[in-house]
Amino acid sequence: MALIQLNNVKRTFDVKGKQIRAVDDVTLAVEKGDIYGIVGYSGAGKSTLVRLLNGLELPTDGEVVVDGENISALSKKGLRDFRKNIGMIFQHFNLLWSRTVSENIQFPLELSGMKKAERVRRAEELMQLVGLEGRGDAYPSQLSGGQKQRVGIARALANNPKILLCDEATSALDPQTTDEVLDLLLDINQQLDLTIVLITHEMNVIRKICNKVAVMELGKVVEEGSVAEVFRNPQQEVTKRFVQQDLKPSEDPAEVLTEFIKENPNGTLLTLTFKDDNANEPVISQAIRQYDVDVNVVYGNIRQGKEGSFGTLTVLLTGDATAIRQATAFFSAQEVGVEVLHHG
Ligand SMILES: Nc1ncnc2c1ncn2[C@@H]1O[C@H](COP(=O)(O)OP(=O)(O)OP(=O)(O)O)[C@@H](O)[C@H]1O
Ligand SMILES: [Mg+2]
């Protein structure tokens, strides 16, 4: 049984007599150890969905089963105890500004009745884990955004939860700091065998640390799968837009290519999309060995992710017409997407 299982879950809100379907018939499974990403535009229902996982929202219909517990069946006390197994971090950190870093981290431990000396020791341990050694006496206002989120993470981990929920946890951070916090999340996922459910509107966050992804639109999960599958072969329009937003090249390829064709009118220009990780190099060298063609890389747009590399490579093939035709057919036969941009 999956660690988190949602079956036909709905959550509607009644706003002035109008029903808003924030989460609309969602079924999904998160396995132990997953870093499960949920991506969608504003209003898609992402926050409502994660709040259903720790019982901050209860489903209007369907079941939410987390670690064997059906959330709707828990008593008030049962729900309070259950929540200790789930940590959560937020976009704006939600720290207590009048408390020091150490006191912020100790806060959930106080609530669970841990003795002071033990709390202080546990906070030290957690500060070490998140890279905040020696900052225990600082106040949140004296920290950078990345450090504030590290406090949020340490506090969320204080009670040794099995699951960490992240609601846009890096959306207020600059790209460099985002990467550092993502590295930390990946690290604790592996070190503590912690399952992470992360929501974001940034596909690069998904690519960098998630192994699975669900795409939400208007309360529904419209596409779901392994990150490698979804990045290499997105099905829905909204998913294609998200993937393209991430894989978008930093310069305009059309300009580079027009220039290139002018200078090399006799070649055939192809854009290759690799469906398998790291297939690019062997496939290209095999083509060169088997057929009498030259392959020149004109333009590459490859991004690295936790689950492999994604993107495209634009190459110029030169040689006689038959060899070029054979090499092109060879690429197609190797599970490589082939688009001919120009025939010399
Ligand atoms: N407590 C509530 N009462 C009424 N409507 C709500 C409530 N919570 C959420 N909604 C509505 O449900 C829909 C989904 O909201 P939700 O906050 O889950 O979206 P989101 O994907 O997290 O968006 P964002 O990216 O902006 O955070 C929205 O239309 C929102 O207005
Ligand atoms: Mg939200």
Side-chain angles (χ1 to χ4, degrees), residues 238-301:
V238 55
T239 315
K240 288 179 189 165
R241 254 183 288 142
F242 272 114
V243 171
Q244 272 160 17
Q245 162 216 318
D246 181 37
L247 300 182
K248 185 173 63 198
S250 46
E251 51 189 324
D252 181 6
E255 248 171 67
V256 178
L257 298 180
T258 313
E259 198 53 35
F260 194 86
I261 291 167
K262 239 192 277 166
E263 283 164 22
N264 302 275
N266 295 324
T268 292
L269 204 55
L270 303 175
T271 293
L272 306 175
T273 309
F274 299 95
K275 307 274 188 230
D276 243 336
D277 192 25
N278 297 328
N280 40 357
E281 282 184 36
V283 170
I284 288 176
S285 52
Q286 276 170 31
I288 297 171
R289 252 184 279 120
Q290 290 185 26
Y291 309 99
D292 194 14
V293 290
D294 276 325
V295 181
N296 253 305
V297 174
V298 182
Y299 192 86
N301 182 36

Side-chain angles (χ1 to χ4, degrees), residues 41-271:
Y41 292 111
S42 184
K46 308 180 295 294
S47 293
T48 308
L49 187 72
V50 289
R51 289 162 58 81
L52 285 160
L53 302 182
N54 61 2
L56 284 176
E57 298 283 356
L58 293 175
T60 322
D61 202 5
E63 315 184 282
V64 178
V65 183
V66 179
D67 198 16
E69 301 273 13
N70 182 340
I71 309 258
S72 302
L74 290 172
S75 64
K76 273 212 167 112
K77 163 144 197 336
L79 196 56
R80 263 199 312 272
D81 288 340
F82 163 81
R83 279 208 192 108
K84 288 185 190 145
N85 275 324
I86 305 187
M88 187 157 181
I89 57 173
F90 308 87
Q91 179 171 5
H92 298 295
F93 323 120
N94 296 13
L95 302 180
L96 299 164
W97 300 96
S98 60
R99 286 181 160 232
T100 63
V101 166
S102 176
E103 289 164 351
N104 265 283
I105 299 171
Q106 290 175 48
F107 188 61
L109 301 172
E110 266 173 70
L111 295 183
S112 34
M114 190 186 275
K115 293 246 161 48
K116 172 109 196 255
E118 205 181 332
R119 264 177 4 227
V120 171
R121 197 195 46 75
R122 175 76 179 135
E124 287 294 329
E125 197 176 277
L126 288 158
M127 285 187 279
Q128 190 122 32
L129 178 71
V130 302
L132 283 176
E133 304 91 327
R135 298 310 304 271
D137 293 332
Y139 284 89
S141 61
Q142 297 169 316
L143 303 178
S144 69
Q147 289 170 328
K148 284 178 199 149
Q149 196 54 289
R150 286 172 197 269
V151 179
I153 293 170
R155 183 185 55 185
L157 296 178
N159 277 315
N160 275 315
K162 291 187 183 160
I163 299 168
L164 179 67
L165 307 177
C166 310
D167 190 344
E168 300 277 2
T170 55
S171 297
L173 305 175
D174 63 59
Q176 158 89 28
T177 311
T178 293
D179 283 352
E180 290 167 10
V181 170
L182 293 179
D183 282 342
L184 174 61
L185 290 176
L186 197 52
D187 213 44
I188 57 180
N189 160 255
Q190 283 158 2
Q191 264 192 55
L192 309 178
D193 200 14
L194 181 77
T195 304
I196 299 181
V197 177
L198 164 166
I199 64 182
T200 181
H201 59 271
E202 295 176 314
M203 207 59 177
N204 68 355
V205 168
I206 305 275
R207 163 171 54 83
K208 283 173 186 158
I209 66 166
C210 296
N211 61 322
K212 290 195 200 129
V213 59
V215 183
M216 282 191 84
E217 194 176 32
L218 297 173
K220 292 189 186 294
V221 168
V222 294
E223 187 159 357
E224 203 252 336
S226 81
V227 166
E229 243 169 72
V230 170
F231 266 80
R232 297 205 177 99
N233 219 350
Q235 302 294 314
Q236 303 295 323
E237 263 327 297
V238 55
T239 315
K240 288 179 189 165
R241 254 183 288 142
F242 272 114
V243 171
Q244 272 160 17
Q245 162 216 318
D246 181 37
L247 300 182
K248 185 173 63 198
S250 46
E251 51 189 324
D252 181 6
E255 248 171 67
V256 178
L257 298 180
T258 313
E259 198 53 35
F260 194 86
I261 291 167
K262 239 192 277 166
E263 283 164 22
N264 302 275
N266 295 324
T268 292
L269 204 55
L270 303 175
T271 293

